Every structure is written in C-alpha cells, then in structure tokens.
Amino acid sequence: MIILIVNAIRNRILIIVMSLSLLATLGASEAPQTLTLSHKTYLPLTVNANAFFYATSRYMSTTSTTTLQNLGCAQGRATPSGATALVILDFGQPAYLAQTGAYGAWIFGTYAFRSLNDITLASEAFLNSFYLCSPAGAYLRLVVGTVNYGSDVTSGHGAAWAAMINNIAAWIVEPPSIASKVTVRGGNDMEPSFGAPSVTRAWVDGYTSVYTGTSYLYNYGSCDGCPYKACTGCTPNNGWTLDDVWYVSWGAKPAWPVPEIYLTNGVHADQWYRMSLYSYTQHGQAFDFKGSLTQWQACQTNGPCPYLDNTPVAGWTQLYSAVNADSRTRQNLGLASDISWGN
Amino acid sequence: MRQPSLRTWLVLGILIVVATMVMAFMTVNLPALPHSASLIAVPATTSVDQVRNATKAALSQLEEQSVQAARQLPAPSAAEVARKMKQPLAPEAPEPVRFVAIPNGVRAGAGAIVQVPPPFSGSQYHIENTWYTDSADAKKRTFAFAGNIAGPGGEPTSQGVVVVQVLQYVTTSGVTALKMQETHAYTSTLAAGSLHVTGADGMKMTLQTSGGTTLRFDINTRTFSAP
C-alpha cells in the first residue's frame, strides 16, 4: 500500500518536472543552451532541460568562409567548458562535373555547385573559429555532410568525400594543431525515400575504401517506412530492406548512426530502437548511436512541421528511453544536435 | 468540509519525506555505461559478423582514446591559430546575389522542372519532382515541390501535396543575403495519389497523380483546379 502511494506521488512529481522541463525548452532561441551538462539522471529517465546541452547543425546555402567563421564562433561561444558540440554541416546533394572531373555538392537554396575545395575551406573556417571563440575544455565534433539524392550518388563521389574528410583531419593536426578542441567526421543524410539502396551502398563503399583514422561516416538520415510498434510488418520505402538501412548505418566499417528523431509521438525513436535490435539479433551487435538529430529550429523558419518538431531534449530522451528499455540495445546515448536553416 | 486530522497530516508528511528519499536513492550516475556497452560480445550469426563486431568495438575504442588524448594536447596561442587558415588554392567561389538557372532543368511555362533534394525529410513529404520560377530581376525564386504527405511511419500515402517555398535575396546595410520568405503546403482536394509535375502554362503547373488524374496548380493563387 505504501509502495503504491509512494509510486503515485513519485509519478506525479515526475510528470510535473517533465512538463516544466518541456515548457522551459519551448520557445528556445536559435542559440543553443549553455548550461553545464548534468551527469546524473533519474529512473525512470527525467532529463533536466535546464542542464541539457545541444549544438546547432545547419543546412548550408553558402560556403562563404566569412559566414562559416561567424557560425563557428557563435557555436564556440555557446559551448560550455566540458561539453562536446556535435555539429552537422549539410552541404546538399552530391555533384560531379563531367567536363572538369570535379566532385562537389549542389548547396541548398540556390542549388549552385560548390567544389570540394570550397567545402573544405568552409569547414576549416568553422573549425578554426570554434577553436578561437570557445572556452577551454569545450570540444567540437564537426560532421561535413551530403545526402543520398540524385544521379551523382556514386562510389566515386563517396571516395572523394572521404578523401576530403581525411584532408581536413590532417589539417587539424598540422601545426599549430587545434586537435585539443576539434575533430571532423564525414556524414550523409541517408533516407530510403531519397535514393535507391544500391547507389547509396555504393557511395558508402566508396567512402569506406578511402577513409583513414577516425574520419568515420555518420548517417544522420531516416528510416522511413521502417517497422514501429503500430506496424511491426512495415518495410522501408523505395525498395530498401532492413539490412540496407543496417549496412549504411552500422554494417559498413566506418558507419555510425545519428538518426533523425523528429516525430513528437516517439515513432522515430521506436523505429531506430527496432533497427538496433535487428542489428543485435541478425548480426550479433546492437547499434552504438553517436547521438540524435532533431529539426526544431528548422521548423520555426521552414515549417510548420506538424508532429515533426521534437525539441532537442525530447528527441534525445525518446531515443535514450527506447534503446535503454531493452537490455539488448541499452547504451549511454551520445550527443544531441538540432538542425537549422540559418546561415 | 471536514478538516483532516493532525494524524492524517503527519502520515502524509512522512510519506512525502519517504518519497523524496526514495527518489534520491534512485539517482544514478550514467557514465558507468560507456559507449561501448552495447558492443559486448554476443554470439554472432556468421564469422563475418564476428570480425565486423570486433572491428567496431576496436574502432569505437580508438575514437574515445583519440579524443581523450587530443584533449590533453598543448593549446597553441590564439595568434598562431588565427594564422592557420591557409590561403585558398583557388579563388573562393563568390557568393551570388541573383539566382542562376538550376542545371538540367526542363523548361515548362514560366519556369522549369528539376530534380533537386527537397528541403524536407522523407519522414514529412515524399517529393517526386519540383517546378521553379524566378522573378524578372532573378532575386526571388519560387519552388513548388510536388509529391505526397508521408504517413505515420514515413511511408508514402495517397494524399498529394504541393509545397511552395519562396526564397529571396535581400540587401540590408549593403550586405546581400539569401532569405527564406515562405514555406506552405497545399494538399490536393483529391486524395488520388502522389503528384508529379508534367508541365506548366505560365504560372499554372500541370500535375499527374499516381492514380492517373490530371490537375492544375496555380502558383499565383495557390489553388488546385481541373485541367
């Protein structure tokens, strides 16, 4: 009887805390929160929204080094000492100019061509400026990304992208080294609806054939059509299989998942928990998520996004709760990031 | 209403204190769970999986170790780091102040039909193709992304949609920047399948549904009509 009463009181207090936390998160400005990450959590999980840190990722419509310096500095100032910022810079659709043999991307907005050199300089400007503007003890994991859309999603482009990431990584440690505060990864927004599994896997294989060191590949895409609680028999869109999603998120050697957790009803978290469980049951090892991605800021300017505007804390919490409810997939979830259209 | 007795208040107070103590004891420090916790060896289905799983565990450890080691490195001065930005090998691409035609577009009416990645996740809309038109001064671009609204799990549905997005170059204090002016979704009145742009007449797009129906969408009035 006492236990029942205690549970009832505890649950009511938890509901109040969660509600206040979510209310505190709503209306957040584009600048990320800046308070220190708490290392303590309560069971069942309640995240203290006032101590939850997330970084701002961006869809890129420019490669201007001046703009990227400003963005890097803003993120540096917003990252507290001891925190790690996971920032994805998505430069758009893969591009290949046959007449010059140049690889690059068609950036968002204008869909203008930008070469790998342009993207390299933009990324280095962001990294350098973060280093200069951030406090001691702050750390940046920068993901330089593209998408699996279009006719230039090829193994050649994947290989070229990996080579670019390797070059940026080498530049970071080149004296004077800024490696004490920054690191770089490759990335791709791989979504079943964007492109066929065969070409996407080919792009990943191209990347895998060239990457070195810790120039890993983060998949910050989706699992559209994938199974979830109300549709356990669903299959991924566009002819993909669960094994295709598994391969580009984990099966390929350098691949790691940072999934989109957009839906406020928890379906995306459930889909990715089930993908991790698939990895465990079919291949003997669950996913190791490097973090979660939401689009709350993007929805403020590019929305509305009904039901797809999870706040960063809600998205991260949903994924954490989903994977830790099962001993086969439990893990200490990585970083949180929220994407914006602001450049 | 009868007031609770002193004994009742005392019992409630004790319960609240007990509840608080229970919650305090339930506080846990999660760092005991490293990233590699899920990489605990379990029987794999194939030898390929065994090798892969061992490799993944090693790579995860390498990443953690390299980050920890890097954070211990000496920090160069701000002046040294500021000089680190190398001169571009080739001139940096100038930022445009007007729109230029998107490559591989097919002229249609007052614009062109293109295949470009939509600015939405596949969890929100499934876009089949896009029609766009530019203003006479090439400073304003209107996109019309055609497709269907994604279902609850991201699956395609039969609800067609045209998502209109307007971008514009705006000059403020002598600085020109690209700004998003508007994004709005328009659902077709007939849930007759996904929409695909097949042509245009001036500012009126022609759309074919996956169910075989032809519709028109007027960009100016943002309305659907029969052909």
Side-chain angles (χ1 to χ4, degrees):
Chain A
M1 177 67 174
I2 292 177
I3 292 172
L4 286 173
I5 293 171
V6 166
N7 279 339
I9 294 171
R10 182 198 69 188
N11 287 339
R12 275 154 180 75
I13 292 172
L14 289 175
I15 288 168
I16 292 169
V17 169
M18 281 294 286
S19 302
L20 289 173
S21 299
L22 286 172
L23 282 171
T25 306
L26 288 174
S29 68
E30 186 170 350
Q33 299 176 6
T34 57
L35 296 179
T36 306
L37 180 68
S38 168
H39 292 287
K40 292 188 179 181
T41 60
Y42 299 85
L43 293 176
L45 180 73
T46 61
V47 178
N48 181 353
N50 287 329
F52 183 85
F53 173 74
Y54 65 92
T56 295
S57 294
R58 300 183 188 269
Y59 292 112
M60 299 309 299
S61 56
T62 181
T63 52
S64 157
T65 52
T66 302
T67 300
L68 270 295
Q69 281 178 338
N70 292 339
L71 294 177
C73 190
Q75 183 63 64
R77 289 193 177 129
T79 304
S81 177
T84 297
L86 174 67
V87 173
I88 299 165
L89 298 180
D90 186 339
F91 287 95
Q93 176 184 358
Y96 175 68
L97 300 184
Q99 56 269 40
T100 57
Y103 287 102
W106 305 105
I107 54 173
F108 289 102
T110 57
Y111 298 104
F113 175 80
R114 289 292 179 268
S115 68
L116 294 185
N117 184 58
D118 294 328
I119 294 169
T120 297
L121 292 174
S123 303
E124 290 174 355
F126 189 97
L127 288 160
N128 215 45
S129 206
F130 177 93
Y131 183 94
L132 291 169
C133 294
S134 57
Y139 197 76
L140 168 67
R141 195 172 296 188
L142 181 68
V143 180
V144 183
T146 179
V147 306
N148 69 319
Y149 185 102
S151 56
D152 291 329
V153 178
T154 62
S155 62
H157 190 278
W161 202 264
M164 175 183 67
I165 302 300
N166 291 343
N167 289 338
I168 296 172
W171 172 85
I172 288 173
V173 298
E174 195 177 275
S177 169
I178 55 174
S180 60
K181 275 187 166 186
V182 305
T183 189
V184 69
R185 302 286 179 268
N188 197 322
D189 176 6
M190 292 186 269
E191 306 196 14
S193 301
F194 279 176
S198 55
V199 297
T200 307
R201 289 177 76 130
W203 190 96
V204 171
D205 289 341
Y207 190 100
T208 303
S209 70
V210 172
Y211 97 98
T212 57
T214 57
S215 297
Y216 301 152
L217 174 63
Y218 286 7
N219 175 19
Y220 54 95
S222 68
C223 201
D224 0 300
C226 286
Y228 58 106
K229 190 175 176 183
C231 185
T232 54
C234 277
T235 55
N237 294 344
N238 205 19
W240 284 58
T241 64
L242 293 178
D243 215 68
D244 291 325
V245 178
W246 168 83
Y247 183 77
V248 303
S249 305
W250 184 253
K253 187 178 171 187
W256 258 266
V258 180
E260 295 172 1
I261 310 296
Y262 293 174
L263 279 169
T264 55
N265 62 6
V267 165
H268 284 168
D270 187 38
Q271 287 177 320
W272 282 98
Y273 151 66
R274 288 170 190 272
M275 277 308 311
S276 182
L277 184 61
Y278 170 89
S279 184
Y280 179 90
T281 57
Q282 302 304 311
H283 295 285
Q285 190 179 63
F287 284 176
D288 179 11
F289 294 99
K290 289 301 182 185
S292 63
L293 180 66
T294 50
Q295 61 166 8
W296 189 85
Q297 291 176 81
C299 289
Q300 307 314 301
T301 55
N302 204 32
C305 320
Y307 316 118
L308 284 150
D309 54 354
N310 248 347
T311 61
V313 64
W316 187 94
T317 305
Q318 283 173 8
L319 184 60
Y320 181 92
S321 299
V323 301
N324 281 288
D326 188 331
S327 61
R328 296 169 291 181
T329 56
R330 67 193 294 256
Q331 67 158 112
N332 197 5
L333 185 61
L335 307 165
S337 199
D338 186 75
I339 200 159
S340 165
W341 284 99
N343 272 198
Chain B
M1 190 176 87
R2 198 175 69 177
Q3 292 290 325
S5 68
L6 182 61
R7 189 168 126 183
T8 304
W9 283 116
L10 195 60
V11 169
L12 272 176
I14 291 171
L15 284 174
I16 289 170
V17 169
V18 167
T20 305
M21 289 173 65
V22 168
M23 279 193 65
F25 278 122
M26 288 167 73
T27 303
V28 295
N29 289 321
L30 275 184
L33 266 182
H35 269 298
S36 54
S38 64
L39 305 180
I40 296 169
V42 293
T45 54
T46 67
S47 59
V48 171
D49 282 329
Q50 288 172 348
V51 169
R52 174 188 294 113
N53 296 345
T55 302
K56 280 292 199 191
L59 290 177
S60 200
Q61 205 165 17
L62 170 67
E63 184 173 46
E64 294 296 327
Q65 287 169 352
S66 66
V67 167
Q68 294 308 319
R71 292 180 92 144
Q72 306 306 317
L73 293 171
S77 70
E80 288 178 293
V81 173
R83 285 193 297 268
K84 190 175 171 77
M85 281 300 299
K86 59 177 179 273
Q87 294 303 310
L89 296 173
E92 188 178 338
E95 287 300 301
V97 293
R98 282 185 172 74
F99 288 102
V100 295
I102 297 174
N104 304 317
V106 175
R107 296 292 312 169
I113 300 170
V114 291
Q115 289 281 353
V116 293
F120 322 104
S121 167
S123 305
Q124 191 171 0
Y125 304 112
H126 298 298
I127 300 300
E128 296 202 15
N129 63 355
T130 301
W131 182 85
Y132 80 95
T133 184
D134 291 340
S135 60
D137 62 0
K139 290 197 167 186
K140 180 177 167 183
R141 174 164 286 173
T142 302
F143 286 104
F145 300 95
N148 64 84
I149 294 178
E155 67 278 14
T157 68
S158 60
Q159 179 57 66
V161 69
V162 171
V163 186
V164 176
Q165 187 176 81
V166 179
L167 303 175
Q168 189 159 12
Y169 282 104
V170 175
T171 301
T172 308
S173 304
V175 177
T176 301
L178 185 60
K179 300 289 182 189
M180 189 170 307
Q181 303 290 72
E182 174 195 347
T183 300
H184 199 95
Y186 300 88
T187 52
S188 59
T189 47
L190 294 169
S194 190
L195 300 179
H196 188 92
V197 185
T198 55
D201 178 8
M203 297 291 276
K204 293 181 181 175
M205 296 157 51
T206 304
L207 302 151
Q208 186 88 25
T209 74
S210 53
T213 307
T214 301
L215 294 172
R216 287 285 190 97
F217 183 80
D218 188 325
I219 283 288
N220 287 331
T221 62
R222 310 289 175 89
T223 54
F224 287 96
S225 63

